[in-house]
Amino acid sequence: MNSEPTPVLKGNILIVDDIPANLQLLAQILSQQGYKTRTAPDGKLALRSIELTPPDLILLDIMMPGMDGYKVCQALKASPTTKDIPVIFISALNEVLDKVKAFEVGGIDYITKPFHEQEVLARVSNQLVQRQLFQQTQSYAQQLEQTVTELKKTQAQLIQKEKMASLGQLAAGIAHEINNPVSFIYGNIALAADYARDLLRLLELYRHYYPHPVAEIIGELDEIQPEFIAEDYPKLLNSMTEGASRISEIVMSLRKFTRLGEQKYKPVDIHEGIDNTLVILQHRLKGANKAGEIEVIKHYSQLPRVTCYASELNQVFMNLLSNAIDALETQPSPRKITISTSVSCESESALHNQDSKLATHNYKSVVIHIADNGCGMSEEVRHQIFDPFFTTKPVGRGIGLGLAISHDIVVEKHRGQISCISAPGRGTKLIVQIPISVKSIPVAPE
């Protein structure tokens, strides 16, 4: 049994005309060339058909009752879902003004009735090829945009790893170099106190048994004032002990901040991580730029330990607190940073309705709020703060990775959520929500 080969379908075309003979003829011409066709006898039915199944191309008559082709085309171009569908007008109107209007409302081509088969096929083929090229270009553009985003993300992650590795090495070196002299100071302060007590006791014995020393000794005693030394020397030693303790505290905070020698994924005290970060940033909080001290207000709730990548979460606290300090550098007093913590059983989406790069989860979580009373930011800036390499700081002050890295650590690494609330003149608040324990978090790649 012989049969004609089935044409290969080359495109889905909607034909809109109020004359049945035109619909039938155009459908026949196009179907024979492998196009899939469907028809609509008026504008309203055409719009319904397009809404249900958008075609690749529309052949549209102008003069139709009820809703003419111009209005149909305008409706198509006004909708985001149909604005890119090419429209070829087919009409008996042959005046220049009619054609101009067709192009003004969004048509891409114009065929005058009575039409010729070869002309119709050539124009249809040309527009479908152009549409296919346009769609390919859009696809390539989306792929390119995605690739650029991934490259930026990878670059940010590499920089983050390098920074943390450098910080870890720095902390290890500082700890090694400082611990030995601090231990030496600690050990010798006690001996110095014993030696001083012995010498002062011996001096008292001399003064008791030799109450009338020679003039030279009397002059020296008046000069050195042993009573003052006996009173002040213990205070001096206590100050030295406190200084050595402060150095040890800073070194310990730095070690805990980087979590040197510890496993990466473990239960930790969130408050300890925040406090260690504040110790490291103490010089900036004290007003190193002569702008005055920044007050840190803590509202800590009782929190369970959170299973997390501790050193990376500490990096989030460092980035958020550093940004808050930056925002307050040019602000008049009082300058404040408020840190609040709580436990939440809700998803972050219920907490705030402003934009945030979130992934909704229902894990029981801890919520950390870090707020400053700085100048705030515009809506345009707030929408971009988590984008890699976006920064509002002057050249040399930042490269726009802090919040982007923080977002990846919180959302990608911990399946948590991070969002921002800010407005000009009303300060900025960053909200971090971390699940207390998520067993399915993948191990961080080395």
Side-chain angles (χ1 to χ4, degrees):
M1 183 173 104
N2 295 329
S3 60
E4 294 293 328
T6 303
V8 177
L9 295 177
K10 298 186 291 186
N12 187 324
I13 301 174
L14 175 66
I15 307 166
V16 186
D17 199 316
D18 61 324
I19 300 177
N22 288 339
L23 292 176
Q24 183 178 1
L25 179 57
L26 285 170
Q28 181 180 354
I29 291 172
L30 295 169
S31 298
Q32 288 175 348
Q33 297 301 316
Y35 297 107
K36 182 177 181 181
T37 63
R38 66 182 196 270
T39 60
D42 60 61
K44 292 184 178 179
L45 288 176
L47 290 176
R48 292 177 190 172
S49 175
I50 295 166
E51 183 179 356
L52 292 173
T53 309
D56 298 313
L57 177 68
I58 300 172
L59 296 179
L60 181 59
D61 186 26
I62 294 178
M63 301 299 293
M64 295 185 294
M67 188 177 195
D68 64 32
Y70 294 137
K71 293 179 181 179
V72 173
C73 191
Q74 287 175 324
L76 292 173
K77 299 307 172 182
S79 172
T81 58
T82 59
K83 63 183 181 64
D84 293 327
I85 301 175
V87 175
I88 298 177
F89 282 101
I90 296 183
S91 176
L93 299 174
N94 197 27
E95 296 295 327
V96 173
L97 291 178
D98 298 319
K99 295 180 180 180
V100 169
K101 185 175 180 180
F103 289 115
E104 286 179 344
V105 298
I108 58 169
D109 208 343
Y110 196 99
I111 301 175
T112 304
K113 295 180 182 179
F115 50 80
H116 298 281
E117 179 177 339
Q118 294 304 316
E119 180 187 7
V120 171
L121 292 175
R123 293 182 183 274
V124 166
S125 175
N126 179 54
Q127 294 303 329
L128 286 175
V129 168
Q130 289 189 41
R131 176 169 173 77
Q132 184 179 14
L133 292 174
F134 174 74
Q135 290 174 331
Q136 288 178 350
T137 302
Q138 282 190 316
S139 176
Y140 293 151
Q142 291 173 354
Q143 292 175 15
L144 181 60
E145 183 178 0
Q146 183 177 357
T147 301
V148 170
T149 301
E150 290 298 323
L151 285 174
K152 284 185 176 181
K153 183 177 178 181
T154 301
Q155 185 180 11
Q157 290 172 345
L158 289 174
I159 294 174
Q160 161 70 1
K161 287 183 179 180
E162 183 65 26
K163 286 173 61 177
M164 290 305 294
S166 299
L167 182 58
Q169 293 172 0
L170 176 64
I174 290 175
H176 178 73
E177 294 297 328
I178 292 181
N179 276 339
N180 287 337
V182 168
S183 299
F184 177 79
I185 293 171
Y186 267 128
N188 285 300
I189 284 176
L191 289 175
D194 291 341
Y195 293 159
R197 281 192 296 269
D198 292 343
L199 292 172
L200 290 171
R201 188 168 59 252
L202 180 61
L203 179 60
E204 285 299 316
L205 288 173
Y206 268 99
R207 296 178 72 178
H208 177 73
Y209 289 105
Y210 300 96
H212 304 292
V214 298
E216 184 178 357
I217 293 177
I218 292 174
E220 191 67 22
L221 288 173
D222 291 340
E223 180 71 25
I224 66 174
Q225 298 182 3
E227 290 82 5
F228 174 77
I229 293 176
E231 180 183 353
D232 193 59
Y233 195 71
K235 298 178 182 177
L236 179 65
L237 293 176
N238 286 336
S239 296
M240 294 172 65
T241 302
E242 290 176 5
S245 298
R246 176 65 178 161
I247 295 172
S248 295
E249 178 187 351
I250 292 172
V251 173
M252 183 60 67
S253 295
L254 191 56
R255 288 181 63 88
K256 288 182 178 179
F257 179 82
T258 58
R259 296 286 171 174
L260 293 175
E262 297 183 9
Q263 65 186 75
K264 292 187 175 182
Y265 185 59
K266 59 178 291 185
V268 298
D269 182 347
I270 291 293
H271 292 153
E272 183 182 59
I274 296 173
D275 290 340
N276 288 329
T277 307
L278 289 171
V279 169
I280 297 171
L281 292 171
Q282 195 67 29
H283 68 289
R284 296 194 64 195
L285 294 169
K286 291 296 183 183
N289 62 349
K290 300 181 181 180
E293 184 173 351
I294 297 174
E295 181 183 4
V296 177
I297 303 168
K298 300 178 186 177
H299 299 298
Y300 286 175
S301 301
Q302 186 173 356
L303 300 181
R305 287 183 171 268
V306 176
T307 304
C308 63
Y309 297 105
S311 65
E312 298 190 28
L313 199 56
N314 286 343
Q315 183 67 24
V316 173
F317 300 147
M318 174 67 78
N319 291 333
L320 268 54
L321 287 167
S322 295
N323 278 359
I325 294 172
D326 290 341
L328 294 171
E329 280 190 335
T330 58
Q331 291 297 109
S333 296
R335 304 187 301 160
K336 298 180 181 180
I337 294 175
T338 304
I339 306 172
S340 307
T341 61
S342 60
V343 179
S344 174
C345 297
E346 299 178 359
S347 63
E348 182 70 15
S349 58
L351 293 175
H352 309 287
N353 56 15
Q354 279 192 295
D355 290 351
S356 58
K357 293 190 175 182
L358 303 177
T360 303
H361 299 294
N362 293 318
Y363 308 117
K364 189 175 183 183
S365 307
V366 297
V367 183
I368 304 104
H369 292 212
I370 298 178
D372 65 69
N373 64 336
C375 62
M377 64 185 78
S378 67
E379 190 72 3
E380 181 182 1
V381 171
R382 191 180 65 81
H383 278 303
Q384 302 177 75
I385 61 171
F386 296 114
D387 295 341
F389 303 102
F390 174 80
T391 181
T392 58
K393 297 176 183 177
V395 176
R397 292 292 305 277
I399 58 175
L401 284 179
L403 290 178
I405 288 170
S406 299
H407 175 266
D408 285 344
I409 291 173
V410 172
V411 177
E412 304 296 333
K413 214 66 174 291
H414 292 89
R415 301 189 180 180
Q417 304 164 358
I418 183 169
S419 60
C420 173
I421 297 177
S422 186
R426 303 190 62 179
T428 299
K429 179 187 289 187
L430 274 297
I431 304 100
V432 176
Q433 186 168 349
I434 301 292
I436 291 172
S437 179
V438 183
K439 296 180 180 178
S440 58
I441 290 180
V443 176
E446 295 297 333

Short mmCIF file of all heavy atoms in Angstrom, two decimals, residues 250-302:
data_model
loop_
_atom_site.label_atom_id
_atom_site.label_comp_id
_atom_site.label_asym_id
_atom_site.label_seq_id
_atom_site.Cartn_x
_atom_site.Cartn_y
_atom_site.Cartn_z
N ILE A 250 42.13 37.46 73.78
CA ILE A 250 42.07 37.79 72.36
C ILE A 250 42.55 36.61 71.52
O ILE A 250 41.94 36.26 70.51
CB ILE A 250 42.92 39.04 72.07
CG1 ILE A 250 42.26 40.27 72.72
CG2 ILE A 250 43.07 39.27 70.56
CD1 ILE A 250 43.11 41.51 72.67
N VAL A 251 43.65 36.00 71.94
CA VAL A 251 44.17 34.84 71.20
C VAL A 251 43.17 33.70 71.21
O VAL A 251 42.91 33.05 70.19
CB VAL A 251 45.52 34.38 71.80
CG1 VAL A 251 45.97 33.07 71.16
CG2 VAL A 251 46.57 35.45 71.59
N MET A 252 42.55 33.45 72.38
CA MET A 252 41.55 32.38 72.47
C MET A 252 40.34 32.69 71.60
O MET A 252 39.81 31.80 70.93
CB MET A 252 41.12 32.20 73.93
CG MET A 252 40.15 31.04 74.15
SD MET A 252 40.85 29.45 73.63
CE MET A 252 42.15 29.28 74.85
N SER A 253 39.90 33.95 71.57
CA SER A 253 38.77 34.34 70.72
C SER A 253 39.11 34.12 69.25
O SER A 253 38.28 33.66 68.47
CB SER A 253 38.41 35.80 70.97
OG SER A 253 37.92 35.99 72.27
N LEU A 254 40.35 34.46 68.88
CA LEU A 254 40.76 34.27 67.49
C LEU A 254 40.79 32.79 67.13
O LEU A 254 40.37 32.38 66.05
CB LEU A 254 42.13 34.92 67.26
CG LEU A 254 42.61 35.04 65.81
CD1 LEU A 254 41.59 35.80 64.98
CD2 LEU A 254 43.96 35.73 65.76
N ARG A 255 41.29 31.98 68.05
CA ARG A 255 41.32 30.54 67.80
C ARG A 255 39.90 29.98 67.69
O ARG A 255 39.61 29.16 66.83
CB ARG A 255 42.07 29.82 68.92
CG ARG A 255 43.57 30.05 68.92
CD ARG A 255 44.23 29.27 70.05
NE ARG A 255 44.04 27.83 69.88
CZ ARG A 255 44.84 27.04 69.18
NH1 ARG A 255 45.89 27.55 68.56
NH2 ARG A 255 44.60 25.76 69.09
N LYS A 256 39.02 30.42 68.58
CA LYS A 256 37.64 29.94 68.53
C LYS A 256 36.92 30.46 67.29
O LYS A 256 36.06 29.77 66.72
CB LYS A 256 36.88 30.37 69.79
CG LYS A 256 37.31 29.61 71.03
CD LYS A 256 36.50 30.03 72.24
CE LYS A 256 36.88 29.23 73.48
NZ LYS A 256 36.10 29.66 74.67
N PHE A 257 37.26 31.69 66.87
CA PHE A 257 36.65 32.25 65.67
C PHE A 257 36.96 31.40 64.45
O PHE A 257 36.10 31.11 63.62
CB PHE A 257 37.15 33.68 65.46
CG PHE A 257 36.60 34.34 64.22
CD1 PHE A 257 35.35 34.92 64.24
CD2 PHE A 257 37.33 34.36 63.05
CE1 PHE A 257 34.83 35.52 63.10
CE2 PHE A 257 36.82 34.96 61.90
CZ PHE A 257 35.57 35.54 61.94
N THR A 258 38.21 30.98 64.33
CA THR A 258 38.61 30.15 63.19
C THR A 258 38.40 28.67 63.45
O THR A 258 38.53 27.85 62.54
CB THR A 258 40.09 30.39 62.85
OG1 THR A 258 40.89 30.11 64.01
CG2 THR A 258 40.31 31.82 62.44
N ARG A 259 38.12 28.32 64.73
CA ARG A 259 37.89 26.92 65.12
C ARG A 259 39.07 26.04 64.72
O ARG A 259 38.90 24.97 64.12
CB ARG A 259 36.60 26.39 64.50
CG ARG A 259 35.36 27.12 65.01
CD ARG A 259 35.01 26.70 66.42
NE ARG A 259 33.97 27.55 66.97
CZ ARG A 259 33.38 27.34 68.16
NH1 ARG A 259 33.76 26.35 68.90
NH2 ARG A 259 32.46 28.15 68.59
N LEU A 260 40.27 26.52 65.03
CA LEU A 260 41.47 25.76 64.69
C LEU A 260 41.49 24.44 65.43
O LEU A 260 41.24 24.36 66.62
CB LEU A 260 42.73 26.57 65.06
CG LEU A 260 42.94 27.84 64.24
CD1 LEU A 260 44.13 28.59 64.79
CD2 LEU A 260 43.15 27.52 62.78
N GLY A 261 41.84 23.37 64.72
CA GLY A 261 42.00 22.06 65.34
C GLY A 261 40.70 21.37 65.67
O GLY A 261 40.70 20.33 66.33
N GLU A 262 39.55 21.94 65.28
CA GLU A 262 38.27 21.33 65.58
C GLU A 262 37.64 20.76 64.32
O GLU A 262 37.96 21.18 63.21
CB GLU A 262 37.30 22.36 66.18
CG GLU A 262 37.77 22.94 67.50
CD GLU A 262 36.74 23.90 68.07
OE1 GLU A 262 35.62 23.95 67.52
OE2 GLU A 262 37.05 24.58 69.06
N GLN A 263 36.74 19.78 64.51
CA GLN A 263 36.01 19.27 63.36
C GLN A 263 35.09 20.37 62.83
O GLN A 263 34.63 21.24 63.57
CB GLN A 263 35.21 18.03 63.76
CG GLN A 263 34.10 18.29 64.77
CD GLN A 263 33.44 17.02 65.24
OE1 GLN A 263 33.99 16.27 66.01
NE2 GLN A 263 32.24 16.77 64.73
N LYS A 264 34.83 20.34 61.53
CA LYS A 264 34.14 21.46 60.90
C LYS A 264 32.66 21.52 61.24
O LYS A 264 32.08 22.59 61.36
CB LYS A 264 34.34 21.40 59.39
CG LYS A 264 35.78 21.64 58.95
CD LYS A 264 35.87 21.73 57.45
CE LYS A 264 37.28 22.09 57.01
NZ LYS A 264 37.38 22.22 55.55
N TYR A 265 32.02 20.38 61.37
CA TYR A 265 30.56 20.33 61.54
C TYR A 265 30.26 19.77 62.92
O TYR A 265 30.46 18.59 63.18
CB TYR A 265 29.97 19.46 60.44
CG TYR A 265 28.47 19.43 60.40
CD1 TYR A 265 27.74 20.60 60.23
CD2 TYR A 265 27.77 18.24 60.53
CE1 TYR A 265 26.36 20.58 60.20
CE2 TYR A 265 26.39 18.20 60.49
CZ TYR A 265 25.69 19.37 60.32
OH TYR A 265 24.32 19.35 60.29
N LYS A 266 29.80 20.63 63.83
CA LYS A 266 29.62 20.19 65.21
C LYS A 266 28.63 21.12 65.92
O LYS A 266 28.38 22.25 65.46
CB LYS A 266 30.96 20.20 65.94
CG LYS A 266 31.62 21.58 65.96
CD LYS A 266 32.93 21.58 66.73
CE LYS A 266 32.65 21.38 68.21
NZ LYS A 266 33.89 21.50 69.00
N PRO A 267 28.08 20.71 67.05
CA PRO A 267 27.21 21.59 67.83
C PRO A 267 28.04 22.70 68.48
O PRO A 267 29.09 22.44 69.07
CB PRO A 267 26.61 20.66 68.89
CG PRO A 267 26.84 19.28 68.38
CD PRO A 267 28.10 19.33 67.58
N VAL A 268 27.57 23.93 68.37
CA VAL A 268 28.31 25.07 68.94
C VAL A 268 27.34 26.03 69.62
O VAL A 268 26.13 26.00 69.40
CB VAL A 268 29.10 25.83 67.85
CG1 VAL A 268 30.13 24.94 67.21
CG2 VAL A 268 28.17 26.41 66.80
N ASP A 269 27.93 26.89 70.43
CA ASP A 269 27.20 27.95 71.13
C ASP A 269 27.21 29.19 70.24
O ASP A 269 28.26 29.79 70.01
CB ASP A 269 27.88 28.22 72.47
CG ASP A 269 27.15 29.28 73.29
OD1 ASP A 269 26.28 29.97 72.73
OD2 ASP A 269 27.46 29.41 74.49
N ILE A 270 26.07 29.58 69.74
CA ILE A 270 25.96 30.74 68.85
C ILE A 270 26.43 32.02 69.56
O ILE A 270 27.13 32.84 68.98
CB ILE A 270 24.52 30.91 68.34
CG1 ILE A 270 24.14 29.77 67.38
CG2 ILE A 270 24.33 32.26 67.66
CD1 ILE A 270 24.91 29.79 66.09
N HIS A 271 26.04 32.17 70.81
CA HIS A 271 26.43 33.37 71.54
C HIS A 271 27.95 33.47 71.69
O HIS A 271 28.52 34.57 71.60
CB HIS A 271 25.77 33.38 72.92
CG HIS A 271 24.29 33.54 72.87
ND1 HIS A 271 23.44 33.07 73.84
CD2 HIS A 271 23.48 34.12 71.93
CE1 HIS A 271 22.19 33.35 73.53
NE2 HIS A 271 22.18 33.99 72.37
N GLU A 272 28.60 32.35 71.91
CA GLU A 272 30.05 32.36 72.01
C GLU A 272 30.67 32.83 70.69
O GLU A 272 31.64 33.60 70.70
CB GLU A 272 30.56 30.96 72.36
CG GLU A 272 32.08 30.90 72.55
CD GLU A 272 32.56 29.49 72.85
OE1 GLU A 272 32.31 28.59 71.99
OE2 GLU A 272 33.17 29.28 73.90
N GLY A 273 30.12 32.35 69.57
CA GLY A 273 30.64 32.79 68.27
C GLY A 273 30.48 34.28 68.06
O GLY A 273 31.39 34.96 67.57
N ILE A 274 29.32 34.84 68.43
CA ILE A 274 29.09 36.28 68.30
C ILE A 274 30.04 37.05 69.20
O ILE A 274 30.66 38.05 68.79
CB ILE A 274 27.63 36.63 68.62
CG1 ILE A 274 26.68 35.97 67.60
CG2 ILE A 274 27.42 38.14 68.63
CD1 ILE A 274 25.21 36.12 67.95
N ASP A 275 30.18 36.60 70.45
CA ASP A 275 31.03 37.31 71.41
C ASP A 275 32.50 37.26 70.98
O ASP A 275 33.23 38.26 71.13
CB ASP A 275 30.87 36.70 72.81
CG ASP A 275 29.50 37.00 73.41
OD1 ASP A 275 28.85 37.96 72.94
OD2 ASP A 275 29.09 36.28 74.32
N ASN A 276 32.95 36.14 70.47
CA ASN A 276 34.33 36.06 69.99
C ASN A 276 34.57 37.02 68.83
O ASN A 276 35.63 37.64 68.72
CB ASN A 276 34.66 34.63 69.56
CG ASN A 276 34.80 33.68 70.73
OD1 ASN A 276 35.22 34.09 71.81
ND2 ASN A 276 34.46 32.42 70.53
N THR A 277 33.58 37.14 67.96
CA THR A 277 33.69 38.08 66.85
C THR A 277 33.76 39.51 67.36
O THR A 277 34.54 40.33 66.85
CB THR A 277 32.48 37.92 65.90
OG1 THR A 277 32.37 36.54 65.51
CG2 THR A 277 32.66 38.77 64.65
N LEU A 278 32.97 39.83 68.38
CA LEU A 278 32.99 41.17 68.95
C LEU A 278 34.34 41.49 69.59
O LEU A 278 34.81 42.64 69.53
CB LEU A 278 31.87 41.32 69.99
CG LEU A 278 30.44 41.38 69.43
CD1 LEU A 278 29.42 41.30 70.56
CD2 LEU A 278 30.23 42.64 68.60
N VAL A 279 34.97 40.49 70.20
CA VAL A 279 36.30 40.71 70.78
C VAL A 279 37.29 41.10 69.70
O VAL A 279 38.09 42.03 69.85
CB VAL A 279 36.78 39.45 71.53
CG1 VAL A 279 38.25 39.56 71.90
CG2 VAL A 279 35.95 39.22 72.78
N ILE A 280 37.23 40.39 68.56
CA ILE A 280 38.15 40.68 67.46
C ILE A 280 37.90 42.07 66.88
O ILE A 280 38.82 42.77 66.45
CB ILE A 280 38.03 39.60 66.37
CG1 ILE A 280 38.46 38.23 66.93
CG2 ILE A 280 38.88 39.94 65.15
CD1 ILE A 280 38.18 37.07 66.01
N LEU A 281 36.63 42.50 66.88
CA LEU A 281 36.27 43.81 66.32
C LEU A 281 36.29 44.93 67.37
O LEU A 281 35.86 46.05 67.08
CB LEU A 281 34.87 43.74 65.70
CG LEU A 281 34.73 42.87 64.44
CD1 LEU A 281 33.26 42.72 64.06
CD2 LEU A 281 35.51 43.50 63.29
N GLN A 282 36.79 44.64 68.58
CA GLN A 282 36.71 45.60 69.67
C GLN A 282 37.38 46.92 69.33
O GLN A 282 36.90 48.00 69.70
CB GLN A 282 37.35 44.99 70.93
CG GLN A 282 37.02 45.73 72.21
CD GLN A 282 35.55 45.63 72.58
OE1 GLN A 282 34.89 44.66 72.25
NE2 GLN A 282 35.02 46.62 73.24
N HIS A 283 38.50 46.86 68.60
CA HIS A 283 39.22 48.10 68.28
C HIS A 283 38.39 49.04 67.42
O HIS A 283 38.50 50.26 67.51
CB HIS A 283 40.54 47.77 67.58
CG HIS A 283 40.37 47.20 66.21
ND1 HIS A 283 39.89 45.92 65.99
CD2 HIS A 283 40.60 47.73 64.97
CE1 HIS A 283 39.85 45.70 64.69
NE2 HIS A 283 40.26 46.77 64.05
N ARG A 284 37.52 48.46 66.56
CA ARG A 284 36.66 49.29 65.73
C ARG A 284 35.46 49.80 66.52
O ARG A 284 34.99 50.93 66.29
CB ARG A 284 36.19 48.51 64.51
CG ARG A 284 37.31 48.07 63.57
CD ARG A 284 36.75 47.60 62.25
NE ARG A 284 36.07 48.69 61.56
CZ ARG A 284 35.24 48.52 60.53
NH1 ARG A 284 34.99 47.28 60.07
NH2 ARG A 284 34.65 49.53 59.95
N LEU A 285 34.97 49.01 67.44
CA LEU A 285 33.84 49.43 68.26
C LEU A 285 34.24 50.55 69.21
O LEU A 285 33.41 51.39 69.58
CB LEU A 285 33.30 48.24 69.06
CG LEU A 285 32.66 47.12 68.23
CD1 LEU A 285 32.41 45.90 69.10
CD2 LEU A 285 31.36 47.59 67.60
N LYS A 286 35.51 50.58 69.61
CA LYS A 286 35.98 51.61 70.53
C LYS A 286 36.21 52.95 69.86
O LYS A 286 36.58 53.92 70.50
CB LYS A 286 37.29 51.15 71.20
CG LYS A 286 37.11 49.98 72.16
CD LYS A 286 36.24 50.37 73.34
CE LYS A 286 36.14 49.22 74.34
NZ LYS A 286 35.24 49.57 75.47
N GLY A 287 36.01 53.00 68.53
CA GLY A 287 36.16 54.28 67.85
C GLY A 287 37.56 54.55 67.41
O GLY A 287 38.14 55.60 67.71
N ALA A 288 38.15 53.58 66.67
CA ALA A 288 39.51 53.75 66.18
C ALA A 288 39.63 54.93 65.24
O ALA A 288 40.69 55.50 65.06
CB ALA A 288 39.98 52.47 65.48
N ASN A 289 38.52 55.32 64.61
CA ASN A 289 38.56 56.45 63.66
C ASN A 289 38.19 57.78 64.33
O ASN A 289 37.84 58.74 63.67
CB ASN A 289 37.61 56.18 62.50
CG ASN A 289 36.17 56.06 62.97
OD1 ASN A 289 35.90 55.97 64.17
ND2 ASN A 289 35.24 56.07 62.04
N LYS A 290 38.24 57.82 65.68
CA LYS A 290 38.00 59.03 66.46
C LYS A 290 36.56 59.53 66.33
O LYS A 290 36.28 60.69 66.61
CB LYS A 290 38.98 60.14 66.07
CG LYS A 290 40.43 59.76 66.28
CD LYS A 290 41.35 60.91 65.90
CE LYS A 290 42.81 60.51 66.10
NZ LYS A 290 43.74 61.60 65.73
N ALA A 291 35.67 58.67 65.90
CA ALA A 291 34.28 59.08 65.76
C ALA A 291 33.45 58.75 67.00
O ALA A 291 32.27 59.00 67.04
CB ALA A 291 33.64 58.41 64.54
N GLY A 292 34.08 58.18 68.00
CA GLY A 292 33.35 57.83 69.20
C GLY A 292 33.01 56.36 69.25
O GLY A 292 33.00 55.66 68.24
N GLU A 293 32.76 55.88 70.44
CA GLU A 293 32.50 54.46 70.66
C GLU A 293 31.14 54.06 70.12
O GLU A 293 30.18 54.83 70.16
CB GLU A 293 32.59 54.14 72.15
CG GLU A 293 32.44 52.68 72.49
CD GLU A 293 32.71 52.38 73.95
OE1 GLU A 293 33.19 53.30 74.66
OE2 GLU A 293 32.44 51.26 74.38
N ILE A 294 31.07 52.84 69.61
CA ILE A 294 29.80 52.26 69.16
C ILE A 294 29.28 51.35 70.27
O ILE A 294 29.98 50.43 70.71
CB ILE A 294 29.99 51.45 67.86
CG1 ILE A 294 30.44 52.36 66.72
CG2 ILE A 294 28.68 50.73 67.48
CD1 ILE A 294 30.78 51.62 65.44
N GLU A 295 28.09 51.62 70.73
CA GLU A 295 27.49 50.82 71.79
C GLU A 295 26.89 49.54 71.20
O GLU A 295 26.16 49.58 70.22
CB GLU A 295 26.41 51.62 72.51
CG GLU A 295 25.75 50.86 73.65
CD GLU A 295 24.62 51.63 74.31
OE1 GLU A 295 24.30 52.74 73.81
OE2 GLU A 295 24.05 51.13 75.28
N VAL A 296 27.22 48.41 71.82
CA VAL A 296 26.66 47.13 71.41
C VAL A 296 25.65 46.69 72.47
O VAL A 296 26.00 46.53 73.65
CB VAL A 296 27.75 46.06 71.24
CG1 VAL A 296 27.11 44.71 70.90
CG2 VAL A 296 28.73 46.46 70.15
N ILE A 297 24.42 46.53 72.05
CA ILE A 297 23.34 46.12 72.94
C ILE A 297 22.97 44.68 72.61
O ILE A 297 22.66 44.36 71.46
CB ILE A 297 22.11 47.04 72.77
CG1 ILE A 297 22.51 48.50 73.03
CG2 ILE A 297 20.99 46.61 73.70
CD1 ILE A 297 21.45 49.50 72.60
N LYS A 298 23.00 43.82 73.61
CA LYS A 298 22.71 42.40 73.40
C LYS A 298 21.39 42.04 74.07
O LYS A 298 21.16 42.37 75.23
CB LYS A 298 23.82 41.52 73.99
CG LYS A 298 25.20 41.76 73.39
CD LYS A 298 26.22 40.86 74.09
CE LYS A 298 27.63 41.17 73.63
NZ LYS A 298 28.62 40.34 74.38
N HIS A 299 20.55 41.36 73.31
CA HIS A 299 19.32 40.77 73.83
C HIS A 299 19.39 39.28 73.52
O HIS A 299 18.83 38.82 72.51
CB HIS A 299 18.09 41.42 73.22
CG HIS A 299 17.96 42.89 73.49
ND1 HIS A 299 17.82 43.41 74.76
CD2 HIS A 299 17.97 43.96 72.65
CE1 HIS A 299 17.74 44.72 74.70
NE2 HIS A 299 17.84 45.09 73.43
N TYR A 300 20.10 38.55 74.35
CA TYR A 300 20.29 37.12 74.11
C TYR A 300 19.19 36.31 74.79
O TYR A 300 18.93 36.48 75.97
CB TYR A 300 21.64 36.65 74.67
CG TYR A 300 22.85 37.07 73.86
CD1 TYR A 300 24.13 36.80 74.32
CD2 TYR A 300 22.72 37.73 72.64
CE1 TYR A 300 25.26 37.17 73.59
CE2 TYR A 300 23.83 38.10 71.90
CZ TYR A 300 25.11 37.81 72.39
OH TYR A 300 26.21 38.17 71.66
N SER A 301 18.57 35.44 74.01
CA SER A 301 17.64 34.46 74.59
C SER A 301 18.41 33.18 74.87
O SER A 301 19.53 32.98 74.42
CB SER A 301 16.49 34.18 73.61
OG SER A 301 15.78 35.36 73.31
N GLN A 302 17.79 32.31 75.62
CA GLN A 302 18.43 31.01 75.89
C GLN A 302 18.33 30.16 74.62
O GLN A 302 17.23 29.87 74.14
CB GLN A 302 17.75 30.30 77.06
CG GLN A 302 18.45 29.01 77.47
CD GLN A 302 17.86 28.43 78.74
OE1 GLN A 302 16.98 29.02 79.36
NE2 GLN A 302 18.34 27.27 79.14
#
